[in-house]
Coordinates of all heavy atoms in Angstrom, one line a residue:
M6 N 8.5 15.7 -13.4 CA 9.2 16.9 -13.1 C 10.8 16.6 -13.3 O 11.3 15.7 -12.6 CB 9.0 17.2 -11.6 CG 7.7 17.9 -11.4 SD 7.9 19.7 -11.4 CE 8.1 20.0 -9.7
D7 N 11.4 17.4 -14.1 CA 12.9 17.2 -14.2 C 13.6 18.3 -13.6 O 14.7 18.5 -13.8 CB 13.3 16.9 -15.7 CG 12.7 17.9 -16.6 OD1 11.9 18.7 -16.2 OD2 13.0 17.8 -17.8
E8 N 12.9 19.1 -12.7 CA 13.6 20.2 -12.1 C 14.5 19.6 -11.0 O 14.2 18.6 -10.3 CB 12.5 21.0 -11.3 CG 13.1 22.3 -10.7 CD 12.1 23.0 -9.9 OE1 10.8 23.0 -10.2 OE2 12.4 23.6 -8.9
K9 N 15.8 20.2 -11.0 CA 16.8 19.6 -10.1 C 16.6 20.1 -8.6 O 16.5 21.3 -8.5 CB 18.2 19.8 -10.6 CG 18.5 18.8 -11.7 CD 20.0 18.9 -12.0 CE 20.3 17.9 -13.0 NZ 21.3 18.4 -14.0
K10 N 16.6 19.3 -7.7 CA 16.6 19.7 -6.3 C 18.0 19.6 -5.7 O 18.7 18.7 -6.1 CB 15.6 18.7 -5.5 CG 14.2 18.8 -5.9 CD 13.3 18.4 -4.8 CE 11.8 18.5 -5.1 NZ 11.2 17.2 -5.5
P11 N 18.3 20.5 -4.8 CA 19.6 20.4 -4.1 C 19.6 19.1 -3.4 O 18.7 18.6 -2.8 CB 19.6 21.6 -3.1 CG 18.5 22.5 -3.6 CD 17.5 21.6 -4.3
S12 N 20.8 18.5 -3.5 CA 20.9 17.2 -2.9 C 22.3 17.0 -2.3 O 23.3 17.6 -2.7 CB 20.8 16.2 -4.0 OG 21.4 14.9 -3.6
V13 N 22.4 16.2 -1.2 CA 23.7 16.0 -0.6 C 24.6 15.2 -1.6 O 25.8 15.0 -1.3 CB 23.7 15.4 0.8 CG1 23.0 16.3 1.8 CG2 23.1 14.0 0.7
N14 N 24.0 14.6 -2.6 CA 24.7 13.8 -3.5 C 25.3 14.6 -4.7 O 26.0 14.0 -5.5 CB 23.8 12.7 -4.1 CG 23.3 11.8 -3.0 OD1 24.0 11.4 -2.1 ND2 22.0 11.5 -3.0
D15 N 25.0 15.9 -4.7 CA 25.4 16.7 -5.8 C 27.0 16.8 -5.8 O 27.6 16.9 -4.8 CB 24.9 18.2 -5.7 CG 23.5 18.3 -6.4 OD1 23.1 17.3 -7.0 OD2 22.9 19.3 -6.2
Y16 N 27.5 16.8 -7.0 CA 29.0 16.9 -7.2 C 29.2 18.3 -7.8 O 28.4 18.9 -8.5 CB 29.5 15.9 -8.2 CG 29.7 14.5 -7.6 CD1 28.7 13.6 -7.7 CD2 30.9 14.2 -7.1 CE1 28.9 12.3 -7.2 CE2 31.1 13.0 -6.6 CZ 30.1 12.0 -6.6 OH 30.3 10.8 -6.1
V17 N 30.4 18.8 -7.5 CA 30.8 20.1 -8.1 C 32.2 19.8 -8.6 O 33.1 19.2 -8.0 CB 30.9 21.2 -6.9 CG1 31.6 22.4 -7.4 CG2 29.6 21.5 -6.4
V18 N 32.5 20.3 -9.8 CA 33.7 20.1 -10.5 C 34.5 21.5 -10.4 O 33.9 22.5 -10.9 CB 33.6 19.6 -11.9 CG1 35.0 19.5 -12.6 CG2 32.9 18.3 -12.0
I19 N 35.7 21.5 -9.9 CA 36.5 22.7 -9.9 C 37.8 22.5 -10.6 O 38.6 21.6 -10.3 CB 36.8 23.0 -8.4 CG1 35.5 23.2 -7.6 CG2 37.7 24.3 -8.3 CD1 35.4 22.4 -6.3
K20 N 38.1 23.3 -11.6 CA 39.3 23.3 -12.3 C 40.1 24.6 -12.1 O 39.6 25.7 -12.3 CB 39.1 23.2 -13.8 CG 40.4 23.1 -14.6 CD 40.1 22.8 -16.1 CE 41.4 22.6 -16.8 NZ 41.3 22.4 -18.2
A21 N 41.3 24.4 -11.5 CA 42.1 25.6 -11.1 C 42.7 26.3 -12.4 O 43.2 25.7 -13.3 CB 43.2 25.2 -10.2
K22 N 42.5 27.6 -12.4 CA 43.1 28.4 -13.5 C 44.3 29.1 -13.1 O 44.9 29.9 -13.9 CB 42.0 29.4 -14.1 CG 40.8 28.6 -14.7 CD 39.7 29.6 -15.1 CE 40.1 30.4 -16.3 NZ 39.1 31.4 -16.7
Q23 N 44.7 28.9 -11.9 CA 46.1 29.5 -11.4 C 46.5 28.5 -10.4 O 45.8 27.7 -9.8 CB 45.9 30.9 -10.9 CG 45.1 31.0 -9.6 CD 45.1 32.4 -9.0 OE1 44.3 32.6 -8.1 NE2 45.9 33.3 -9.5
D24 N 47.8 28.7 -10.0 CA 48.4 27.9 -8.9 C 47.8 28.4 -7.6 O 47.5 29.5 -7.4 CB 49.9 28.1 -8.9 CG 50.6 27.3 -10.0 OD1 49.9 26.5 -10.6 OD2 51.8 27.6 -10.2
G25 N 47.6 27.5 -6.7 CA 47.3 27.8 -5.3 C 45.8 28.1 -5.0 O 45.5 28.8 -4.1
V26 N 45.0 27.6 -5.9 CA 43.5 27.7 -5.7 C 43.1 26.9 -4.4 O 43.5 25.7 -4.4 CB 42.7 27.3 -6.9 CG1 41.2 27.2 -6.6 CG2 42.9 28.3 -8.0
N27 N 42.3 27.4 -3.6 CA 41.9 26.7 -2.4 C 40.4 26.3 -2.5 O 39.6 27.1 -2.9 CB 42.0 27.6 -1.1 CG 43.4 27.4 -0.5 OD1 43.8 26.3 -0.1 ND2 44.1 28.5 -0.5
V28 N 40.1 25.0 -2.3 CA 38.8 24.5 -2.2 C 38.6 24.1 -0.7 O 39.2 23.3 -0.2 CB 38.6 23.2 -3.1 CG1 37.2 22.7 -3.0 CG2 39.0 23.6 -4.5
I29 N 37.7 24.9 -0.1 CA 37.4 24.7 1.3 C 36.1 24.2 1.6 O 35.1 24.6 1.1 CB 37.6 26.1 1.9 CG1 39.0 26.7 1.7 CG2 37.3 26.1 3.4 CD1 39.0 28.2 1.8
G30 N 36.0 23.1 2.4 CA 34.7 22.5 2.8 C 34.3 23.1 4.1 O 35.1 23.2 5.1
L31 N 33.0 23.5 4.2 CA 32.4 24.0 5.4 C 31.4 23.0 5.9 O 30.6 22.3 5.2 CB 31.8 25.3 5.2 CG 32.8 26.4 4.8 CD1 32.9 26.6 3.3 CD2 32.3 27.7 5.5
T32 N 31.4 22.9 7.3 CA 30.6 21.9 8.0 C 29.1 22.1 7.8 O 28.6 23.3 7.8 CB 31.0 21.8 9.4 OG1 30.9 23.1 10.0 CG2 32.4 21.3 9.6
R33 N 28.4 21.0 7.9 CA 26.9 21.1 7.9 C 26.5 21.2 9.3 O 27.1 20.6 10.3 CB 26.3 19.8 7.2 CG 24.8 19.7 7.1 CD 24.4 18.5 6.4 NE 24.9 18.4 5.0 CZ 24.4 19.1 4.0 NH1 23.3 19.9 4.1 NH2 24.9 19.0 2.8
G34 N 25.3 21.8 9.7 CA 24.8 21.8 11.0 C 24.9 23.2 11.6 O 25.1 24.2 10.9
T35 N 24.6 23.3 12.9 CA 24.6 24.6 13.6 C 25.9 25.3 13.6 O 26.0 26.6 13.6 CB 24.1 24.4 15.1 OG1 24.9 23.4 15.7 CG2 22.6 24.0 15.1
D36 N 27.0 24.5 13.6 CA 28.3 25.1 13.6 C 28.9 25.0 12.2 O 29.2 24.0 11.7 CB 29.2 24.3 14.6 CG 30.6 24.7 14.8 OD1 30.8 25.9 14.5 OD2 31.5 23.9 15.1
T37 N 29.0 26.3 11.6 CA 29.6 26.3 10.2 C 31.0 26.7 10.3 O 31.3 27.9 10.6 CB 28.8 27.3 9.4 OG1 27.4 27.0 9.5 CG2 29.2 27.3 8.0
R38 N 31.9 25.8 10.0 CA 33.3 26.1 10.1 C 34.0 25.4 9.0 O 33.5 24.4 8.4 CB 33.9 25.8 11.4 CG 33.7 24.3 11.8 CD 34.2 23.9 13.1 NE 33.8 22.5 13.4 CZ 34.3 21.4 12.9 NH1 35.3 21.5 12.0 NH2 33.8 20.3 13.2
F39 N 35.3 25.8 8.7 CA 36.1 25.1 7.7 C 36.5 23.7 8.3 O 36.8 23.7 9.5 CB 37.4 25.9 7.5 CG 37.3 27.2 6.8 CD1 36.1 27.7 6.5 CD2 38.4 27.8 6.3 CE1 36.0 28.9 5.8 CE2 38.3 29.0 5.6 CZ 37.1 29.6 5.4
H40 N 36.4 22.8 7.5 CA 36.9 21.5 8.0 C 37.9 20.8 7.1 O 38.6 19.9 7.4 CB 35.7 20.4 8.2 CG 35.1 20.0 6.9 ND1 35.6 19.1 6.1 CD2 33.8 20.3 6.4 CE1 34.8 18.9 5.0 NE2 33.7 19.6 5.2
H41 N 38.0 21.4 5.9 CA 39.0 20.9 5.0 C 39.4 21.9 3.9 O 38.6 22.6 3.5 CB 38.4 19.6 4.2 CG 39.4 18.9 3.4 ND1 40.1 17.8 3.8 CD2 39.8 19.2 2.1 CE1 41.0 17.4 2.8 NE2 40.8 18.2 1.8
S42 N 40.7 22.0 3.7 CA 41.2 22.9 2.6 C 42.1 22.1 1.7 O 43.0 21.5 2.1 CB 41.9 24.0 3.3 OG 42.4 24.9 2.3
E43 N 41.8 22.2 0.4 CA 42.5 21.5 -0.6 C 43.2 22.5 -1.5 O 42.5 23.4 -2.0 CB 41.6 20.6 -1.3 CG 42.3 19.5 -2.2 CD 42.9 18.4 -1.3 OE1 42.3 18.1 -0.3 OE2 43.9 17.9 -1.7
K44 N 44.5 22.4 -1.8 CA 45.2 23.3 -2.7 C 45.3 22.7 -4.0 O 45.8 21.6 -4.2 CB 46.5 23.7 -2.1 CG 47.0 25.1 -2.6 CD 48.0 25.7 -1.7 CE 47.4 26.9 -1.0 NZ 48.4 27.7 -0.2
L45 N 44.9 23.4 -5.0 CA 45.0 23.0 -6.4 C 45.9 23.9 -7.2 O 45.9 25.1 -7.1 CB 43.6 23.0 -7.1 CG 42.5 22.2 -6.6 CD1 41.2 22.4 -7.5 CD2 42.8 20.7 -6.4
D46 N 46.8 23.3 -8.0 CA 47.6 24.1 -8.9 C 47.0 24.2 -10.3 O 46.0 23.4 -10.6 CB 49.0 23.5 -9.0 CG 49.9 23.8 -7.8 OD1 49.6 24.9 -7.1 OD2 50.8 23.0 -7.4
K47 N 47.4 25.1 -11.1 CA 46.8 25.3 -12.4 C 46.6 24.1 -13.1 O 47.5 23.3 -13.3 CB 47.7 26.3 -13.2 CG 47.1 26.8 -14.5 CD 47.9 27.8 -15.1 CE 47.2 28.3 -16.4 NZ 47.9 29.4 -17.0
G48 N 45.4 23.9 -13.6 CA 45.1 22.7 -14.5 C 44.5 21.5 -13.7 O 43.9 20.6 -14.2
E49 N 44.8 21.6 -12.4 CA 44.3 20.5 -11.5 C 42.8 20.6 -11.4 O 42.2 21.7 -11.3 CB 45.0 20.5 -10.2 CG 46.4 20.0 -10.3 CD 47.1 19.9 -8.9 OE1 46.8 20.6 -8.0 OE2 47.9 19.0 -8.8
V50 N 42.2 19.4 -11.2 CA 40.7 19.3 -11.1 C 40.3 18.6 -9.9 O 41.0 17.6 -9.5 CB 40.1 18.5 -12.3 CG1 38.6 18.3 -12.2 CG2 40.4 19.3 -13.6
M51 N 39.4 19.1 -9.1 CA 38.8 18.4 -8.0 C 37.3 18.2 -8.3 O 36.6 19.1 -8.7 CB 39.0 19.2 -6.7 CG 38.5 18.6 -5.5 SD 39.2 19.3 -4.0 CE 38.1 18.5 -2.7
I52 N 36.9 17.0 -8.0 CA 35.5 16.6 -8.1 C 35.0 16.4 -6.7 O 35.5 15.5 -6.0 CB 35.3 15.4 -8.9 CG1 35.9 15.7 -10.3 CG2 33.8 15.0 -9.1 CD1 36.2 14.4 -11.1
A53 N 34.1 17.3 -6.1 CA 33.8 17.3 -4.7 C 32.3 17.1 -4.6 O 31.5 17.5 -5.5 CB 34.2 18.6 -4.0
Q54 N 31.9 16.5 -3.5 CA 30.4 16.2 -3.3 C 30.0 16.9 -2.0 O 30.8 17.0 -1.1 CB 30.4 14.7 -3.1 CG 28.9 14.1 -3.3 CD 28.9 12.6 -3.3 OE1 29.9 12.0 -2.8 NE2 27.9 12.0 -3.8
F55 N 28.7 17.3 -2.0 CA 28.1 17.7 -0.8 C 27.7 16.4 0.0 O 27.2 15.5 -0.6 CB 26.9 18.6 -1.1 CG 27.2 19.9 -1.6 CD1 27.1 20.1 -3.0 CD2 27.6 20.9 -0.8 CE1 27.5 21.3 -3.5 CE2 28.0 22.2 -1.3 CZ 27.9 22.4 -2.7
T56 N 28.0 16.5 1.3 CA 27.9 15.2 2.1 C 27.1 15.5 3.4 O 26.8 16.7 3.6 CB 29.2 14.6 2.4 OG1 29.9 15.5 3.3 CG2 30.1 14.4 1.2
E57 N 27.0 14.5 4.2 CA 26.5 14.6 5.6 C 27.3 15.7 6.3 O 26.8 16.4 7.2 CB 26.6 13.3 6.2 CG 26.2 13.1 7.6 CD 26.6 11.8 8.1 OE1 27.0 10.9 7.4 OE2 26.4 11.6 9.4
H58 N 28.6 15.7 6.0 CA 29.5 16.6 6.8 C 29.8 18.0 6.1 O 30.2 18.9 6.7 CB 30.9 15.9 6.9 CG 30.8 14.6 7.6 ND1 30.4 14.4 8.9 CD2 30.9 13.3 7.1 CE1 30.3 13.1 9.2 NE2 30.7 12.5 8.1
T59 N 29.5 18.1 4.8 CA 29.9 19.2 4.0 C 28.6 19.9 3.4 O 27.9 19.2 2.6 CB 30.8 18.9 2.9 OG1 32.0 18.2 3.4 CG2 31.2 20.1 2.1
S60 N 28.3 21.1 3.8 CA 27.1 21.8 3.3 C 27.5 22.9 2.4 O 26.6 23.4 1.6 CB 26.2 22.3 4.4 OG 26.9 23.4 5.1
A61 N 28.7 23.4 2.4 CA 29.1 24.5 1.6 C 30.5 24.3 1.2 O 31.3 23.7 1.9 CB 28.9 25.8 2.3
I62 N 30.8 24.8 0.0 CA 32.2 24.8 -0.5 C 32.6 26.2 -1.0 O 31.9 26.8 -1.7 CB 32.2 23.8 -1.7 CG1 31.9 22.4 -1.3 CG2 33.7 23.8 -2.4 CD1 31.7 21.4 -2.4
K63 N 33.8 26.6 -0.5 CA 34.2 27.9 -0.9 C 35.5 27.7 -1.7 O 36.4 26.9 -1.4 CB 34.7 28.6 0.4 CG 35.4 30.0 0.2 CD 35.6 30.8 1.5 CE 36.5 32.0 1.2 NZ 36.6 32.8 2.4
V64 N 35.5 28.5 -2.8 CA 36.6 28.4 -3.7 C 37.3 29.8 -3.7 O 36.7 30.8 -3.9 CB 36.2 28.1 -5.2 CG1 37.4 28.0 -6.2 CG2 35.5 26.7 -5.2
R65 N 38.6 29.7 -3.5 CA 39.5 31.0 -3.3 C 40.4 30.9 -4.4 O 41.3 29.9 -4.5 CB 40.1 31.0 -2.0 CG 40.4 32.3 -1.5 CD 40.5 32.3 0.1 NE 40.8 33.6 0.5 CZ 42.1 34.1 0.6 NH1 43.1 33.3 0.2 NH2 42.2 35.3 0.9
G66 N 40.5 31.9 -5.3 CA 41.5 31.9 -6.4 C 40.6 31.7 -7.7 O 39.4 31.5 -7.7
E67 N 41.4 31.8 -8.8 CA 40.8 31.8 -10.1 C 40.5 30.3 -10.5 O 41.4 29.5 -10.7 CB 41.7 32.5 -11.1 CG 41.0 33.0 -12.3 CD 42.0 33.6 -13.3 OE1 43.1 34.1 -12.9 OE2 41.7 33.7 -14.5
A68 N 39.2 30.0 -10.7 CA 38.9 28.6 -11.1 C 37.6 28.6 -11.9 O 36.8 29.5 -11.8 CB 38.7 27.8 -9.8
L69 N 37.4 27.5 -12.6 CA 36.2 27.2 -13.4 C 35.5 26.3 -12.5 O 36.0 25.2 -12.1 CB 36.4 26.7 -14.7 CG 35.3 26.1 -15.5 CD1 34.3 27.3 -15.8 CD2 35.7 25.4 -16.8
I70 N 34.1 26.5 -12.2 CA 33.4 25.7 -11.3 C 32.1 25.3 -12.1 O 31.4 26.1 -12.6 CB 32.9 26.5 -10.0 CG1 34.1 27.0 -9.3 CG2 32.1 25.6 -9.1 CD1 33.9 28.2 -8.4
K71 N 32.0 23.9 -12.2 CA 30.8 23.4 -12.9 C 29.9 22.7 -11.9 O 30.2 21.9 -11.1 CB 31.2 22.4 -13.9 CG 32.2 23.0 -15.0 CD 32.5 22.0 -16.1 CE 31.5 21.7 -17.1 NZ 31.3 22.8 -18.1
T72 N 28.6 23.2 -12.0 CA 27.6 22.6 -11.0 C 26.4 22.3 -11.8 O 26.2 22.6 -13.0 CB 27.2 23.7 -9.9 OG1 26.3 24.6 -10.5 CG2 28.4 24.3 -9.3
S73 N 25.4 21.6 -11.1 CA 24.2 21.2 -11.9 C 23.3 22.5 -12.1 O 22.4 22.4 -12.9 CB 23.4 20.2 -11.1 OG 23.1 20.7 -9.7
Y74 N 23.7 23.6 -11.5 CA 23.0 24.9 -11.7 C 23.6 25.7 -12.8 O 23.1 26.7 -13.2 CB 23.0 25.7 -10.4 CG 22.4 25.0 -9.3 CD1 23.1 24.4 -8.3 CD2 20.9 24.9 -9.2 CE1 22.5 23.7 -7.3 CE2 20.3 24.2 -8.2 CZ 21.1 23.6 -7.2 OH 20.6 22.9 -6.2
G75 N 24.8 25.3 -13.3 CA 25.5 26.0 -14.4 C 27.0 26.1 -14.0 O 27.4 25.6 -13.0
D76 N 27.6 26.8 -14.9 CA 29.1 27.0 -14.6 C 29.3 28.5 -14.1 O 28.6 29.4 -14.5 CB 29.8 26.9 -16.0 CG 29.6 25.5 -16.6 OD1 29.0 24.6 -15.8 OD2 30.0 25.3 -17.7
I77 N 30.3 28.7 -13.4 CA 30.7 29.9 -12.9 C 32.2 30.0 -12.7 O 32.8 29.0 -12.5 CB 29.9 30.3 -11.6 CG1 30.2 31.7 -11.2 CG2 30.4 29.4 -10.4 CD1 29.1 32.3 -10.2
E78 N 32.8 31.2 -12.9 CA 34.2 31.4 -12.7 C 34.4 32.1 -11.5 O 33.9 33.3 -11.3 CB 34.8 32.0 -14.0 CG 35.0 31.0 -15.1 CD 35.7 31.6 -16.3 OE1 36.2 32.7 -16.2 OE2 35.6 31.0 -17.4
S79 N 35.3 31.7 -10.6 CA 35.7 32.5 -9.5 C 36.9 33.3 -10.0 O 37.6 32.9 -10.8 CB 36.1 31.6 -8.3 OG 37.1 30.7 -8.7
E80 N 37.1 34.5 -9.3 CA 38.1 35.4 -9.8 C 39.2 35.5 -8.7 O 38.9 35.4 -7.5 CB 37.5 36.8 -10.1 CG 36.6 36.8 -11.4 CD 35.7 37.9 -11.4 OE1 36.1 39.0 -10.9 OE2 34.7 37.8 -12.1
A81 N 40.3 35.8 -9.2 CA 41.4 36.1 -8.3 C 41.4 37.6 -7.8 O 41.0 38.4 -8.5 CB 42.8 35.8 -9.0
R82 N 41.9 37.8 -6.6 CA 42.1 39.2 -6.3 C 43.2 39.7 -7.0 O 44.1 38.9 -7.4 CB 42.4 39.2 -4.7 CG 41.2 39.0 -3.8 CD 41.7 39.1 -2.4 NE 42.7 38.2 -2.1 CZ 43.6 38.4 -1.0 NH1 43.5 39.4 -0.3 NH2 44.5 37.5 -0.8
N83 N 43.3 41.0 -7.2 CA 44.5 41.6 -7.9 C 45.8 41.2 -7.3 O 46.7 41.0 -8.0 CB 44.3 43.2 -8.0 CG 43.2 43.6 -8.9 OD1 42.9 42.8 -9.8 ND2 42.8 44.8 -8.8
N84 N 45.7 41.3 -6.0 CA 47.1 41.0 -5.2 C 47.0 39.6 -4.6 O 47.5 39.5 -3.6 CB 47.3 42.1 -4.2 CG 46.2 42.1 -3.2 OD1 45.1 41.5 -3.4 ND2 46.4 42.7 -2.0
H85 N 46.4 38.7 -5.3 CA 46.3 37.3 -4.8 C 47.8 36.8 -4.6 O 48.5 36.8 -5.6 CB 45.6 36.5 -5.8 CG 45.2 35.1 -5.3 ND1 44.3 34.9 -4.3 CD2 45.8 33.9 -5.6 CE1 44.3 33.6 -4.1 NE2 45.2 33.0 -4.8
T86 N 48.1 36.5 -3.4 CA 49.5 36.1 -3.1 C 49.6 34.7 -2.5 O 50.7 34.1 -2.5 CB 50.2 37.0 -2.1 OG1 49.3 37.3 -1.0 CG2 50.5 38.4 -2.8
D87 N 48.5 34.1 -2.1 CA 48.7 32.8 -1.5 C 48.8 31.7 -2.5 O 47.8 31.0 -2.8 CB 47.7 32.4 -0.4 CG 46.4 33.3 -0.5 OD1 46.6 34.4 -0.1 OD2 45.3 32.8 -0.9
K88 N 49.9 31.6 -3.1 CA 50.1 30.6 -4.2 C 50.8 29.3 -3.7 O 51.6 29.2 -2.9 CB 51.0 31.2 -5.3 CG 50.2 32.3 -6.0 CD 50.8 32.5 -7.4 CE 49.8 33.5 -8.2 NZ 50.5 34.1 -9.3
Ligands
LIG9 N1 35.2 14.2 4.6 C1 34.5 15.3 3.9 C2 33.0 14.9 3.7 O1 32.8 13.7 3.5 C3 35.3 15.4 2.5 C4 34.6 16.3 1.6 C5 33.4 16.1 0.8 C6 35.0 17.6 1.2 N2 33.1 17.2 0.1 C7 34.1 18.1 0.2 C8 36.1 18.5 1.5 C9 34.2 19.4 -0.4 C10 36.2 19.7 0.9 C11 35.3 20.2 0.0 O2 32.2 15.7 3.8

């Protein structure tokens, strides 16, 4: 079986397509909250992993996101101002 299973070892690659993209880590467990926010400027790349502490990642702003499930682009709001 070469089907991919979700794993805490999975990496996600995020490349910012504008200044001020936020990569936000959300906690694993019963309490789901932000625990980390990383700001990327245009062209910057973050390689992030799902861990014991991180079960979800939120990307805010325009970015290219590469995962083992495929690639996706997040979009900016029209009036995106948090740069
Ligand atoms: N200390 C966090 C952790 O080990 C760091 C982290 C991992 C993180 N993956 C992330 C922060 C994704 C933001 C987004 O879980």
Side-chain angles (χ1 to χ4, degrees):
M6 283 265 267
D7 48 355
E8 190 186 324
K9 278 192 178 140
K10 292 205 177 99
S12 157
V13 295
N14 301 313
D15 273 353
Y16 282 92
V17 172
V18 179
I19 300 129
K20 182 175 183 181
K22 292 175 70 180
Q23 68 173 169
D24 286 347
V26 169
N27 273 299
V28 179
I29 299 157
L31 293 97
T32 54
R33 186 176 298 281
T35 48
D36 179 27
T37 306
R38 57 178 172 76
F39 289 12
H40 68 73
H41 187 95
S42 178
E43 196 70 37
K44 200 158 254 187
L45 303 182
D46 283 334
K47 188 172 181 176
E49 288 186 325
V50 171
M51 181 166 170
I52 302 159
Q54 198 173 21
F55 290 98
T56 69
E57 178 191 349
H58 305 292
T59 304
S60 66
I62 298 169
K63 172 174 171 173
V64 178
R65 203 157 183 277
E67 201 181 337
L69 172 63
I70 303 159
K71 298 181 78 76
T72 76
S73 58
Y74 302 100
D76 300 352
I77 190 161
E78 281 182 14
S79 57
E80 289 164 29
R82 288 183 301 159
N83 285 340
N84 59 346
H85 189 73
T86 48
D87 16 291
K88 289 200 173 165

